[in-house]
Amino acid sequence: MQRLHLHLLSDSTGETLEMIAKAALAQFENADVVRHFWPMVRSQQHLDRIMSEIAAHPGLVLFTLVSTEIRARLEQRCATLGLSSVAALDTVTDALEQQLGQEAKGRPGRQHTMDEAYFRRVDAIQFTIAHDDGVGWENWEQADILLAGVSRSSKTPTSIYLANRGFKVANIPIVVESPPPHSLFTLRRPLVVGLTTSTERLIQVRRNRLLSLNQAPETAYVDNDHVTHEVQFARRMFADNGWPVIDVSRRSIEETAAAVINLYNERHNIRAGGSSEPGRDSADWKGPIA
């Protein structure tokens, strides 16, 4: 199989370009791709230094560069080397310009400006980190979302992903031997979502976790009967309280988070009859999502 060197050049943090590349590469099985990441490319001198590395590892060049001078220089250098270069956002930007009747503002990193949404996201991340794994239950009413599930049901990574989208998230492990705080069942503001998974998948994840920690992989933590009881106990709790449930067995973190956001938006649309934003008060909403 031929190896492909994929060069990603951005005049900002490169997060958008990385997501585009990741989504596209997911369509190719067993592709041998080496990614080279070049963020904050804002001068021709910087570009020239990168071009020497690209020449040493020729491949496909994807870029999100606003400066017409730097773009032209990159495209010229790539053409000289016989390499393909693709402006990842041009097609979308051109279509938006036509539909909106205005030109895009050519400012590097414009999507990362430190506006109100930026500070809300930072606040959400700080809240989420401080309320991981059942910590800080006294402040759960301040959360937008609370994730509940047995150990290793992807609560923490999903919480962090949602926090990066601006949601204040708390999460709590459901443990048969240790009932959660009573406040979990009286919350009004946060959307409580139960995360569940198949017994087989959960045992596999837990066993791999134990092995990574050099711990004995044969304990009650991975015992089939014990794990089955845990999963059933959690599912019964979710059902008794009318909480929406997401099965994460075959979902990526991104897919699970997207499902949670859909539930959150549906809840707010039911309440307010319109779109919602993280942090909006929802204290007068009660009951499960249909």
Side-chain angles (χ1 to χ4, degrees), residues 12-279:
S12 186
T13 63
E15 293 178 20
T16 301
L17 191 56
E18 278 196 300
M19 287 190 290
I20 292 173
K22 182 179 180 180
L25 288 172
Q27 307 302 314
F28 301 89
E29 294 183 358
N30 303 318
D32 185 7
V33 178
V34 179
R35 278 180 278 189
H36 305 266
F37 183 48
W38 312 102
M40 307 304 292
V41 183
R42 297 185 177 181
S43 71
Q44 294 193 14
Q45 292 79 7
H46 189 184
L47 176 63
D48 289 341
R49 293 195 298 271
I50 293 171
M51 288 308 304
S52 62
E53 295 293 329
I54 294 178
H57 302 92
L60 176 62
V61 177
L62 301 183
F63 65 90
T64 51
L65 300 172
V66 171
S67 169
T68 55
E69 292 82 6
I70 297 177
R71 283 179 56 135
R73 190 175 184 88
L74 171 63
E75 292 171 338
Q76 179 184 26
R77 296 289 299 275
C78 286
T80 301
L81 293 170
L83 304 179
S84 297
S85 59
V86 179
L89 293 178
D90 272 17
T91 302
V92 177
T93 303
D94 291 344
L96 287 171
E97 286 183 335
Q98 293 179 10
Q99 294 296 318
L100 296 174
Q102 58 178 288
E103 292 186 3
K105 294 183 179 295
R107 183 166 12 127
R110 183 175 176 82
Q111 71 272 33
H112 299 292
T113 54
M114 296 177 68
D115 54 11
E116 180 182 353
Y118 173 85
F119 289 108
R120 185 170 63 236
R121 187 165 68 251
V122 171
D123 188 37
I125 293 172
Q126 292 175 340
F127 179 93
T128 301
I129 291 174
H131 295 81
D132 182 43
D133 206 32
V135 175
W137 59 268
E138 304 90 346
N139 303 317
W140 279 351
E141 198 63 50
Q142 300 174 22
D144 299 307
I145 297 166
L146 188 142
L147 302 180
V150 299
S151 174
R152 312 312 297 178
S153 56
S154 74
K155 299 183 299 299
T156 295
T158 303
S159 296
I160 297 299
Y161 186 93
L162 288 167
N164 276 281
R165 297 290 299 272
F167 296 89
K168 291 183 177 181
V169 186
N171 73 74
I172 181 173
I174 302 302
V175 181
V176 177
E177 299 81 7
S178 179
H182 177 69
S183 61
L184 174 64
F185 309 106
T186 61
L187 294 173
R188 295 175 62 83
R189 184 179 188 276
L191 168 67
V192 181
V193 179
L195 301 184
T196 189
T197 185
S198 68
T199 299
E200 296 76 13
R201 174 61 176 164
L202 190 57
I203 291 174
Q204 179 185 13
V205 171
R206 288 183 175 185
R207 181 170 282 118
N208 290 339
R209 175 61 174 170
L210 291 175
L211 290 172
S212 70
L213 297 173
N214 294 319
Q215 296 182 10
E218 302 303 329
T219 67
Y221 189 59
V222 293
D223 177 75
N224 187 78
D225 292 341
H226 187 274
V227 174
T228 299
H229 179 55
E230 278 188 80
V231 173
Q232 292 175 343
F233 177 81
R235 281 182 174 273
R236 187 162 54 250
M237 181 184 296
F238 302 156
D240 289 346
N241 290 277
W243 299 331
V245 180
I246 298 173
D247 190 330
V248 303
S249 300
R250 298 182 180 276
R251 294 177 188 261
S252 66
I253 299 302
E254 294 86 350
E255 290 170 331
T256 300
V260 172
I261 292 172
N262 285 339
L263 290 169
Y264 179 91
N265 287 337
E266 183 180 349
R267 173 188 184 180
H268 281 265
N269 287 336
I270 290 173
R271 169 184 175 270
S275 62
S276 60
E277 294 181 354

